[in-house]
């Protein structure tokens, strides 16, 4: 009789299509990263899809922003941000999946699929990328930030990156905890009211 899988076992199960690269292929190609998709189980038993952001997600991303509190947006952008310029929107949505990689967390909500979180990294110098996350308030505390971090780490390593960096407000304890629990070697320094994080891949 097969041993029953625990919720923790299921949370660790990652079915990432981007991992199905051809034998001997060392790094993910741009097209691989742009098709990235995985299914994770949250702490509350909800299944979410972690997938690559698409240009067609514009309306769903806007809806996610509308459902995110001013406090959460402030923690992400370090300012009271509710509306974005066309230039900013284009930056967030037009992803090359080489120097700029973005993933979204998608959950079933009221019979339809909705974006409930997102994370991205942007290469700032050879081998190093800056990473950031946002999770809709209703879904915070369920492990979505950690899930996005794991998948972005996978993509960053497959892209040959060596370091992820981040700037976090000192009061943003949930985000700091995500980095602390990432399993990566971490160094942190607080300067001018911001915690500067470095994670070695």
């Amino acid at each position: 009789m097969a041993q029953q899988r625990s919720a923790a076992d299921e949370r660790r199960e990652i079915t990432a299509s981007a991992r199905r690269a051809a034998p001997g292929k060392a790094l993910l190609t741009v097209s691989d990263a742009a098709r990235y998709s995985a299914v994770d189980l949250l702490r509350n038993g909800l299944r979410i899809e972690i997938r690559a952001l698409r240009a067609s997600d514009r309306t769903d991303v806007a809806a996610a922003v509308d459902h995110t509190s001013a406090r959460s947006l402030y923690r992400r952008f370090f300012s009271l941000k509710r509306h974005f310029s066309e230039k900013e929107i284009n930056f967030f949505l037009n992803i090359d999946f080489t120097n700029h990689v973005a993933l979204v967390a998608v959950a079933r909500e009221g019979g339809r699929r909705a974006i409930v979180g997102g994370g991205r990294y942007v290469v700032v110098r050879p081998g190093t990328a800056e990473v950031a996350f946002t999770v809709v308030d209703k879904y915070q505390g369920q492990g979505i930030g950690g899930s996005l971090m794991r998948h972005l780490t996978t993509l960053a390593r497959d892209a040959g990156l060596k370091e992820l960096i981040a700037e976090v407000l000192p009061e943003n304890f949930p985000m700091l905890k995500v980095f602390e629990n990432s399993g990566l070697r971490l160094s942190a320094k607080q300067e001018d009211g911001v915690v500067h994080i470095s994670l070695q891949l």
Side-chain angles (χ1 to χ4, degrees), residues 81-150:
K81 197 83 170 170
R82 176 58 69 182
H83 302 289
F84 299 87
S85 69
E86 196 64 28
K87 182 178 179 180
E88 289 172 320
I89 292 170
N90 287 333
F91 171 78
F92 290 133
L93 291 177
N94 297 328
I95 311 301
D96 63 13
F97 286 97
T98 301
N99 294 312
H100 188 176
V101 171
L103 301 177
V104 290
V106 182
R108 186 162 293 281
E109 200 175 68
R112 62 179 297 274
R113 299 183 71 77
I115 291 175
V116 298
R120 65 185 64 226
Y121 71 70
V122 178
V123 175
V124 293
R125 56 180 178 269
T128 300
E130 185 171 7
V131 65
F133 307 88
T134 308
V135 177
V136 172
D137 293 59
K138 176 181 174 181
Y139 291 88
Q140 291 176 9
Q142 296 300 325
I144 292 177
S147 184
L148 288 164
M149 182 67 196
R150 281 196 308 278

Side-chain angles (χ1 to χ4, degrees), residues 163-175:
E163 179 188 33
L164 293 176
I165 61 173
E167 294 185 347
V168 186
L169 292 173
E171 65 268 25
N172 192 353
F173 300 115
M175 194 71 265

